[in-house]
C-alpha cells in the first residue's frame, strides 16, 4: 500500500497519520435514552473505536447568559463549527485537539484532549442526528 507523506508541524511534529482515516458513527437520542451506554459498548466491541461526547463541544456562555437557566438541550448550545472541523480532520487522517466544557464556569476549555484518528470515531449526543452539518459526514 502506497502512503502519502506525513505533514510536519513545528509545534506538534508529525501529526498526520496517512494510513488511518476515521469513519464517523453518530449516536443520538433524548436524555437518558442509552446513548452513552450504546457508545461505550460499541467502543468495547471495536478496539479501533474512540467515543467523543458532544458535551465537550458546548459553547462558552457570554457573561450576560445564566448557565443555571440556559437551555443546554438547544442545538445553539453547541459549537457545531468546531465539532465539524474535528470530524473533517479525523476523516482526513489528521489529529486534533478537542475542548472540554467546564460546567462549573460554563466555559469551553480549549485543547483539553488530543485525539488522533482511529478506525471509528463515535460521536454521541442528544443532537448528533439532528444537526445537518453532522449528518453530511
Amino acid at each position: 500500500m502506497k502512503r502519502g507523506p506525513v505533514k510536519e508541524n513545528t509545534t506538534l511534529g508529525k501529526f498526520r497519520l496517512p494510513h488511518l482515516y476515521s469513519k464517523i458513527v453518530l449516536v443520538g437520542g433524548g436524555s437518558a435514552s442509552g446513548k452513552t451506554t450504546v457508545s461505550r459498548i460499541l467502543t468495547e466491541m471495536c478496539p479501533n473505536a474512540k467515543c467523543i461526547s458532544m458535551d465537550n463541544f458546548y459553547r462558552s456562555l457570554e457573561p450576560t447568559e445564566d448557565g443555571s437557566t440556559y437551555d443546554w438541550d438547544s442545538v445553539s448550545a453547541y459549537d457545531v463549527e468546531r465539532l465539524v472541523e474535528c470530524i473533517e480532520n479525523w476523516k482526513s487522517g489528521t489529529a486534533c485537539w478537542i475542548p472540554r466544557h467546564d460546567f462549573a464556569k460554563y466555559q469551553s476549555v480549549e485543547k483539553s484532549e488530543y485525539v488522533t484518528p482511529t478506525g471509528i470515531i463515535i460521536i454521541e449526543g442528544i443532537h448528533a442526528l439532528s444537526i445537518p452539518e453532522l449528518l453530511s459526514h
Side-chain angles (χ1 to χ4, degrees), residues 28-50:
S31 296
S33 63
K35 300 177 299 296
T36 303
T37 302
V38 167
S39 299
R40 186 174 47 243
I41 291 169
L42 288 172
T43 302
E44 290 170 1
M45 292 174 61
C46 304
N48 63 339
K50 168 83 174 159

Side-chain angles (χ1 to χ4, degrees), residues 56 58 60 98-102 107-113:
N56 292 318
Y58 279 125
S60 294
I98 65 168
R100 177 187 52 81
H101 192 79
D102 181 341
Q107 295 294 309
S108 180
V109 180
E110 290 298 314
K111 294 190 175 183
S112 292
E113 183 181 357

Side-chain angles (χ1 to χ4, degrees), residues 20-94:
L20 192 56
Y21 301 93
S22 295
K23 299 291 183 193
I24 306 299
V25 175
L26 303 173
V27 178
S31 296
S33 63
K35 300 177 299 296
T36 303
T37 302
V38 167
S39 299
R40 186 174 47 243
I41 291 169
L42 288 172
T43 302
E44 290 170 1
M45 292 174 61
C46 304
N48 63 339
K50 168 83 174 159
C51 183
I52 305 290
S53 173
M54 283 183 62
D55 289 359
N56 292 318
F57 291 89
Y58 279 125
R59 66 176 184 82
S60 294
L61 293 188
E62 299 296 328
T64 57
E65 296 175 299
D66 181 3
S68 64
T69 59
Y70 186 77
D71 182 6
W72 293 103
D73 289 339
S74 169
V75 173
S76 64
Y78 295 98
D79 184 351
V80 174
E81 184 177 314
R82 179 72 179 116
L83 178 54
V84 168
E85 179 184 321
C86 287
I87 290 171
E88 289 171 352
N89 282 338
W90 295 320
K91 285 179 66 177
S92 71
T94 305

